[in-house]
Amino acid sequence: MARLKFSLATLFAVVVIFPLSAAHAKDQQMLALANASGCFICHKIAPDAASDELPLAPSYQEIALRYRGDKDAFSRLLDRVLHGTVYQDQVWEGEIGMRFMPPNVNVSREDASSLVHWILKLDIDPQMAKRLMHHDRMLTLSTVSGCTICHRMDPVNVSRVIPLAPSFREVAAHYQDRPGNKDRLLESILQGTQGNQKIWQNVNMLYMPPNVALKREDGVKLIEWILSLDTKGVPRQMEPPAGMGSSRQ
């Protein structure tokens, strides 16, 4: 499993979007770790009752149900996570599509232990997990696409600091209910905003450069995610003065 590093800003953004109890905070921490470790390439949180196809691997809830009460479950599952099951009994034979689990050479023993402990005690809302995993994927996409070089998740609230560009939540607050918002934002992301009327007066950049390396379909995904962000308490950007031209920014 390839493991990604998560910044404190990423974890803070997750906490802001999903208000937490202590138990939910632990669930989200483990979901982020499982997602970063590549576990969801094969596993799901809960079985898909609507599908007639064999899943690649058992869901976490099925694993928890099968091994709950087994005093040796932790050590057995930890060994399977770290070393795979190619030379072990295939206890899910006929129930899943994979013949064996490959070894996870890039996950630490400490992280694997945390995941196994969590899975064995699992009681989680699959819809919350789905939202968290999507949010995490979009954060990763925005990072690898270079968006977070200029944009933050949340507005800067320090008066002496001028951000490079509006935060994602400010963009969401400004565009959420505007007609044609997705098309305008996609054009801005792909082609840039040079030559257009500057509407973000509180940022340092005069215009947004074109993102020539971003795929159009990825731009669409990012826009839908940004527009879905919680904007409670985020002020809406004022329109530029009338007669000063249109803006895609």
Side-chain angles (χ1 to χ4, degrees):
M1 299 189 230
R3 186 179 175 194
L4 302 176
K5 298 293 185 182
F6 287 85
S7 67
L8 290 176
T10 297
L11 293 177
F12 176 74
V14 171
V15 171
V16 169
I17 286 181
F18 305 110
L20 305 176
S21 67
H24 285 174
K26 180 66 173 180
D27 287 341
Q28 292 188 1
Q29 179 187 3
M30 291 297 99
L31 281 167
L33 176 57
N35 195 33
S37 301
C39 303
F40 295 127
I41 294 172
C42 301
H43 296 279
K44 294 182 178 180
I45 297 296
D48 185 358
S51 176
D52 294 328
E53 297 181 358
L54 283 178
L56 275 177
S59 70
Y60 284 169
Q61 289 185 336
E62 289 172 307
I63 293 170
L65 182 62
R66 174 163 293 190
Y67 287 99
R68 190 158 292 165
D70 183 343
K71 62 182 178 63
D72 299 321
F74 172 77
S75 59
R76 290 166 59 194
L77 288 177
L78 179 61
D79 182 65
R80 287 172 176 265
V81 169
L82 292 174
H83 304 119
T85 64
V86 64
Y87 299 117
Q88 300 185 23
D89 292 337
Q90 304 305 313
V91 298
W92 299 93
E93 188 171 356
E95 300 178 54
I96 61 174
M98 294 181 70
R99 295 178 62 188
F100 60 86
M101 180 176 181
N104 294 301
V105 296
N106 292 317
V107 65
S108 70
R109 188 176 188 88
E110 179 183 4
D111 285 346
S113 297
S114 297
L115 284 168
V116 171
H117 273 303
W118 172 69
I119 291 169
L120 288 173
K121 298 178 180 179
L122 190 62
D123 182 15
I124 192 169
D125 175 11
Q127 291 304 314
M128 186 277 288
K130 184 178 180 180
R131 291 195 301 271
L132 175 60
M133 287 185 286
H134 176 69
H135 180 70
D136 176 59
R137 284 194 294 270
M138 291 300 100
L139 283 172
T140 300
L141 178 58
S142 68
T143 299
V144 300
S145 300
C147 306
T148 52
I149 295 173
C150 301
H151 298 277
R152 297 163 51 98
M153 175 61 67
D154 298 289
V156 174
N157 293 318
V158 181
S159 59
R160 66 178 181 273
V161 176
I162 300 177
L164 278 174
S167 70
F168 288 152
R169 292 191 198 280
E170 288 173 306
V171 173
H174 181 65
Y175 283 104
Q176 273 177 345
D177 300 322
R178 295 181 184 272
N181 53 8
K182 294 181 181 180
D183 290 336
R184 292 174 64 188
L185 285 172
L186 184 60
E187 187 178 2
S188 295
I189 290 174
L190 298 179
Q191 300 181 19
T193 61
Q194 187 173 15
N196 297 330
Q197 172 63 36
K198 178 177 170 66
I199 64 171
W200 297 98
Q201 304 300 324
N202 61 334
V203 302
N204 196 18
M205 296 179 69
L206 294 177
Y207 61 87
M208 181 175 182
N211 195 327
V212 296
L214 182 68
K215 296 179 180 178
R216 188 178 186 88
E217 56 266 32
D218 286 340
V220 170
K221 292 176 184 177
L222 284 170
I223 289 168
E224 290 179 346
W225 168 65
I226 290 170
L227 292 176
S228 73
L229 293 174
D230 179 16
T231 60
K232 185 177 181 180
V234 179
R236 184 166 179 164
Q237 177 72 20
M238 293 179 62
E239 290 283 8
M244 294 190 65
S246 61
S247 173
R248 295 194 306 252
Q249 194 172 356

